[in-house]
Amino acid sequence: MSKYTTLYQHGTLALLVPGLLSGTLTMGDLLKHGDTGIGTGEGLDGELIILDGKPYQVDSDGNVNEVSNSFNMPFANSHFAKYSPLAELEDVSQDYFEEQIISLTHASNTFFSVKVTGSFSNVKTRAVKKSVPPFQTLAETAKNQNIFTRDHVEGTLISYYSPKLFDGAAVGGCHNHFLSDDHTFGGHLLDFHLDKGDVSYQLFDTLEQHLPIDNKAYMDHDFSKDNITDDIHNAEG
Protein backbone atom coordinates (compact mmCIF):
# COMPACT_ATOMS: atom_id res chain seq x y z
CA MET A 1 0.00 0.00 0.00
CA SER A 2 1.65 3.20 -1.20
CA LYS A 3 1.21 6.39 0.76
CA TYR A 4 0.62 8.15 -2.55
CA THR A 5 -2.37 5.96 -3.48
CA THR A 6 -4.06 6.15 -0.07
CA LEU A 7 -6.77 8.63 0.86
CA TYR A 8 -7.13 9.10 4.62
CA GLN A 9 -10.51 10.14 5.95
CA HIS A 10 -11.37 10.88 9.56
CA GLY A 11 -15.05 10.64 10.39
CA THR A 12 -17.82 10.59 7.82
CA LEU A 13 -20.10 13.26 6.46
CA ALA A 14 -22.98 11.13 7.74
CA LEU A 15 -21.99 11.72 11.36
CA LEU A 16 -22.37 15.47 10.84
CA VAL A 17 -26.04 15.05 9.84
CA PRO A 18 -27.45 14.50 13.37
CA GLY A 19 -25.04 17.05 14.83
CA LEU A 20 -22.12 14.91 15.97
CA LEU A 21 -19.82 17.89 15.58
CA SER A 22 -17.32 17.35 18.40
CA GLY A 23 -13.68 17.48 17.40
CA THR A 24 -12.32 13.92 17.45
CA LEU A 25 -8.98 14.34 15.66
CA THR A 26 -6.31 17.03 15.95
CA MET A 27 -4.66 18.70 13.00
CA GLY A 28 -1.33 17.36 14.22
CA ASP A 29 -2.62 13.80 13.89
CA LEU A 30 -4.24 14.50 10.52
CA LEU A 31 -0.96 15.80 9.10
CA LYS A 32 0.67 12.46 9.86
CA HIS A 33 -1.50 11.08 7.05
CA GLY A 34 -1.00 13.74 4.40
CA ASP A 35 0.27 17.16 3.35
CA THR A 36 -2.86 18.07 1.36
CA GLY A 37 -6.50 17.99 2.37
CA ILE A 38 -9.82 19.53 3.32
CA GLY A 39 -12.15 19.40 6.33
CA THR A 40 -14.00 21.39 8.94
CA GLY A 41 -13.42 22.28 12.58
CA GLU A 42 -15.34 21.35 15.71
CA GLY A 43 -18.86 22.74 15.52
CA LEU A 44 -18.38 23.22 11.75
CA ASP A 45 -15.84 25.90 12.57
CA GLY A 46 -15.05 27.19 9.10
CA GLU A 47 -13.63 25.41 6.07
CA LEU A 48 -10.17 23.87 5.90
CA ILE A 49 -7.72 23.50 3.05
CA ILE A 50 -4.25 22.01 3.49
CA LEU A 51 -1.58 22.86 0.92
CA ASP A 52 2.09 21.86 1.06
CA GLY A 53 1.66 20.69 4.64
CA LYS A 54 0.21 24.00 5.85
CA PRO A 55 -3.38 23.95 7.16
CA TYR A 56 -5.55 26.99 6.54
CA GLN A 57 -8.99 27.73 7.95
CA VAL A 58 -11.42 30.10 6.27
CA ASP A 59 -13.59 31.27 9.16
CA SER A 60 -17.15 32.58 9.04
CA ASP A 61 -15.91 36.16 8.72
CA GLY A 62 -13.92 35.23 5.62
CA ASN A 63 -10.53 35.46 7.34
CA VAL A 64 -7.87 32.95 6.33
CA ASN A 65 -6.03 31.62 9.38
CA GLU A 66 -3.19 29.12 9.62
CA VAL A 67 -4.29 26.71 12.36
CA SER A 68 -2.25 24.96 15.04
CA ASN A 69 -1.66 21.26 15.56
CA SER A 70 -4.20 21.30 18.40
CA PHE A 71 -7.08 22.36 16.12
CA ASN A 72 -9.85 19.75 16.45
CA MET A 73 -12.00 18.32 13.66
CA PRO A 74 -15.00 15.99 13.33
CA PHE A 75 -14.32 15.37 9.62
CA ALA A 76 -11.33 15.71 7.30
CA ASN A 77 -9.59 14.20 4.27
CA SER A 78 -5.84 14.17 3.68
CA HIS A 79 -3.27 12.54 1.43
CA PHE A 80 0.36 12.90 0.42
CA ALA A 81 0.40 14.86 -2.81
CA LYS A 82 1.86 13.33 -5.95
CA TYR A 83 -0.32 14.79 -8.65
CA SER A 84 0.05 14.01 -12.36
CA PRO A 85 -0.83 16.48 -15.14
CA LEU A 86 -4.31 15.93 -16.55
CA ALA A 87 -5.25 18.91 -18.74
CA GLU A 88 -5.21 22.63 -19.23
CA LEU A 89 -8.76 23.94 -19.23
CA GLU A 90 -10.06 27.33 -20.30
CA ASP A 91 -13.43 29.06 -20.02
CA VAL A 92 -15.38 26.31 -18.26
CA SER A 93 -18.19 26.37 -15.72
CA GLN A 94 -18.15 24.34 -12.52
CA ASP A 95 -20.56 21.76 -13.93
CA TYR A 96 -18.58 21.35 -17.13
CA PHE A 97 -15.33 21.20 -15.19
CA GLU A 98 -16.62 18.33 -13.06
CA GLU A 99 -17.92 16.49 -16.13
CA GLN A 100 -14.54 16.90 -17.82
CA ILE A 101 -12.41 15.60 -14.97
CA ILE A 102 -14.58 12.50 -14.59
CA SER A 103 -14.36 11.90 -18.33
CA LEU A 104 -10.60 12.52 -18.53
CA THR A 105 -9.66 10.42 -15.51
CA HIS A 106 -11.91 7.44 -16.40
CA ALA A 107 -12.10 6.94 -12.63
CA SER A 108 -15.74 7.35 -11.62
CA ASN A 109 -15.64 4.14 -9.55
CA THR A 110 -12.72 5.06 -7.32
CA PHE A 111 -11.52 7.95 -5.22
CA PHE A 112 -9.24 10.63 -6.63
CA SER A 113 -8.12 14.17 -5.95
CA VAL A 114 -7.86 17.04 -8.39
CA LYS A 115 -5.73 20.14 -8.00
CA VAL A 116 -6.28 23.21 -10.15
CA THR A 117 -4.05 26.27 -10.14
CA GLY A 118 -4.99 29.24 -12.23
CA SER A 119 -7.41 32.10 -12.80
CA PHE A 120 -11.01 31.92 -11.66
CA SER A 121 -14.00 34.25 -11.97
CA ASN A 122 -17.47 34.51 -10.45
CA VAL A 123 -16.26 32.52 -7.46
CA LYS A 124 -18.69 31.87 -4.62
CA THR A 125 -17.53 30.23 -1.39
CA ARG A 126 -19.00 29.70 2.03
CA ALA A 127 -17.91 29.11 5.61
CA VAL A 128 -20.09 28.14 8.56
CA LYS A 129 -19.99 29.93 11.91
CA LYS A 130 -18.70 27.75 14.74
CA SER A 131 -21.44 26.34 16.95
CA VAL A 132 -21.12 25.17 20.54
CA PRO A 133 -22.70 22.27 22.45
CA PRO A 134 -25.40 21.18 22.54
CA PHE A 135 -24.92 20.93 18.79
CA GLN A 136 -27.85 21.15 16.39
CA THR A 137 -28.23 19.06 13.25
CA LEU A 138 -26.12 19.68 10.15
CA ALA A 139 -29.10 21.25 8.39
CA GLU A 140 -29.67 23.74 11.21
CA THR A 141 -25.99 24.51 11.81
CA ALA A 142 -25.26 25.04 8.12
CA LYS A 143 -27.91 27.76 7.96
CA ASN A 144 -25.57 29.99 9.96
CA GLN A 145 -23.08 30.51 7.17
CA ASN A 146 -21.62 33.42 5.28
CA ILE A 147 -21.17 33.60 1.53
CA PHE A 148 -18.09 35.21 -0.04
CA THR A 149 -17.56 36.18 -3.66
CA ARG A 150 -14.78 37.33 -5.95
CA ASP A 151 -15.19 38.57 -9.51
CA HIS A 152 -11.66 37.49 -10.39
CA VAL A 153 -9.09 35.63 -8.31
CA GLU A 154 -5.92 33.58 -8.73
CA GLY A 155 -5.74 30.52 -6.57
CA THR A 156 -5.82 26.79 -5.97
CA LEU A 157 -8.77 24.44 -6.00
CA ILE A 158 -8.47 21.12 -4.17
CA SER A 159 -11.19 18.60 -4.93
CA TYR A 160 -11.87 15.08 -3.71
CA TYR A 161 -14.05 12.85 -5.84
CA SER A 162 -15.94 9.99 -4.18
CA PRO A 163 -17.88 7.27 -6.03
CA LYS A 164 -21.66 7.36 -5.66
CA LEU A 165 -21.38 4.03 -3.83
CA PHE A 166 -19.78 5.90 -0.90
CA ASP A 167 -22.37 8.68 -0.69
CA GLY A 168 -22.83 9.25 3.02
CA ALA A 169 -19.34 8.30 4.06
CA ALA A 170 -18.34 11.21 1.84
CA VAL A 171 -20.33 13.26 -0.64
CA GLY A 172 -20.75 11.31 -3.86
CA GLY A 173 -19.11 13.35 -6.61
CA CYS A 174 -16.77 16.30 -6.15
CA HIS A 175 -16.09 18.11 -2.86
CA ASN A 176 -14.29 21.36 -3.69
CA HIS A 177 -12.38 23.80 -1.48
CA PHE A 178 -10.47 26.90 -2.59
CA LEU A 179 -7.67 29.18 -1.41
CA SER A 180 -6.50 32.32 -3.17
CA ASP A 181 -2.80 32.80 -3.87
CA ASP A 182 -2.69 35.81 -1.55
CA HIS A 183 -4.44 33.91 1.27
CA THR A 184 -7.19 36.50 1.64
CA PHE A 185 -10.10 34.45 0.25
CA GLY A 186 -11.32 30.86 0.19
CA GLY A 187 -13.69 28.31 1.60
CA HIS A 188 -16.03 25.58 0.44
CA LEU A 189 -16.72 26.22 -3.25
CA LEU A 190 -20.36 26.72 -4.17
CA ASP A 191 -19.79 27.98 -7.70
CA PHE A 192 -16.99 29.13 -9.97
CA HIS A 193 -15.89 29.70 -13.54
CA LEU A 194 -12.42 28.51 -14.48
CA ASP A 195 -10.93 31.07 -16.84
CA LYS A 196 -7.67 29.18 -17.30
CA GLY A 197 -6.03 26.57 -15.15
CA ASP A 198 -3.60 23.70 -14.98
CA VAL A 199 -5.42 20.58 -13.82
CA SER A 200 -3.63 17.67 -12.19
CA TYR A 201 -5.00 14.55 -10.53
CA GLN A 202 -4.07 11.73 -8.18
CA LEU A 203 -5.79 8.35 -8.10
CA PHE A 204 -6.33 6.38 -4.90
CA ASP A 205 -6.76 2.62 -4.67
CA THR A 206 -7.11 2.63 -0.89
CA LEU A 207 -9.47 4.49 1.43
CA GLU A 208 -8.20 4.52 5.00
CA GLN A 209 -11.35 5.25 6.98
CA HIS A 210 -10.77 6.33 10.57
CA LEU A 211 -13.76 6.42 12.92
CA PRO A 212 -14.09 8.18 16.31
CA ILE A 213 -14.73 5.08 18.41
CA ASP A 214 -13.73 6.90 21.61
CA ASN A 215 -16.63 9.32 21.17
CA LYS A 216 -19.64 7.94 23.05
CA ALA A 217 -22.19 10.07 21.20
CA TYR A 218 -20.98 8.63 17.90
CA MET A 219 -20.90 5.05 19.12
CA ASP A 220 -24.40 5.27 20.60
CA HIS A 221 -26.13 7.04 17.71
CA ASP A 222 -28.70 5.26 15.51
CA PHE A 223 -28.07 6.53 11.98
CA SER A 224 -31.07 4.64 10.55
CA LYS A 225 -33.28 7.53 11.70
CA ASP A 226 -31.32 10.16 9.74
CA ASN A 227 -31.97 11.44 6.22
CA ILE A 228 -28.27 11.22 5.44
CA THR A 229 -28.03 11.60 1.67
CA ASP A 230 -30.45 14.51 1.29
CA ASP A 231 -29.10 16.44 4.27
CA ILE A 232 -25.49 16.06 3.08
CA HIS A 233 -26.24 17.22 -0.44
CA ASN A 234 -28.37 20.14 0.75
CA ALA A 235 -25.62 21.29 3.13
CA GLU A 236 -22.78 20.78 0.67
CA GLY A 237 -24.59 22.51 -2.16
Side-chain angles (χ1 to χ4, degrees):
M1 183 172 69
S2 167
K3 72 176 185 178
Y4 295 115
T5 59
T6 299
L7 172 62
Y8 179 83
Q9 178 170 294
H10 172 69
T12 65
L13 283 179
L15 67 78
L16 303 182
V17 169
L20 299 174
L21 307 181
S22 296
T24 48
L25 186 77
T26 66
M27 181 59 72
D29 285 334
L30 180 67
L31 292 175
K32 295 175 183 176
H33 300 277
D35 55 21
T36 302
I38 64 174
T40 188
E42 180 171 86
L44 298 188
D45 186 12
E47 303 286 346
L48 301 172
I49 183 168
I50 304 167
L51 294 174
D52 301 320
K54 293 185 178 181
Y56 302 94
Q57 175 216 38
V58 181
D59 66 26
S60 60
D61 292 322
N63 302 310
V64 179
N65 313 298
E66 190 169 346
V67 300
S68 70
N69 283 339
S70 62
F71 188 84
N72 269 304
M73 300 158 289
F75 174 83
N77 288 121
S78 70
H79 77 282
F80 290 101
K82 193 176 182 181
Y83 289 95
S84 299
L86 182 64
E88 183 178 288
L89 295 179
E90 293 187 40
D91 192 23
V92 296
S93 66
Q94 177 174 349
D95 288 344
Y96 185 73
F97 165 78
E98 293 181 356
E99 291 174 6
Q100 282 295 292
I101 62 171
I102 293 170
S103 174
L104 291 167
T105 58
H106 304 287
S108 61
N109 290 330
T110 192
F111 293 84
F112 61 86
S113 179
V114 169
K115 181 179 182 180
V116 185
T117 57
S119 301
F120 299 77
S121 59
N122 301 322
V123 182
K124 181 188 292 186
T125 67
R126 70 100 191 274
V128 177
K129 183 177 181 180
K130 182 180 181 179
S131 61
V132 297
F135 296 120
Q136 293 183 298
T137 64
L138 174 65
E140 288 300 315
T141 306
K143 289 178 181 178
N144 197 5
Q145 64 178 3
N146 286 324
I147 306 296
F148 311 105
T149 60
R150 287 289 187 277
D151 292 335
H152 297 282
V153 63
E154 305 278 330
T156 299
L157 178 157
I158 294 291
S159 178
Y160 286 98
Y161 173 87
S162 301
K164 298 297 184 183
L165 175 65
F166 289 85
D167 213 2
V171 56
C174 295
H175 187 169
N176 308 319
H177 284 205
F178 184 81
L179 182 67
S180 66
D181 287 345
D182 62 8
H183 295 179
T184 63
F185 172 78
H188 174 92
L189 271 170
L190 297 174
D191 196 16
F192 66 89
H193 188 92
L194 178 60
D195 296 337
K196 184 175 182 179
D198 292 318
V199 184
S200 56
Y201 77 112
Q202 187 170 347
L203 285 174
F204 306 117
D205 61 18
T206 301
L207 172 66
E208 184 179 350
Q209 177 70 71
H210 182 254
L211 297 172
I213 62 172
D214 293 329
N215 182 266
K216 188 176 187 301
Y218 169 74
M219 295 297 283
D220 291 346
H221 186 75
D222 180 3
F223 286 93
S224 67
K225 300 177 181 178
D226 299 320
N227 187 6
I228 291 171
T229 302
D230 287 346
D231 282 358
I232 287 174
H233 282 271
N234 289 337
E236 291 301 307

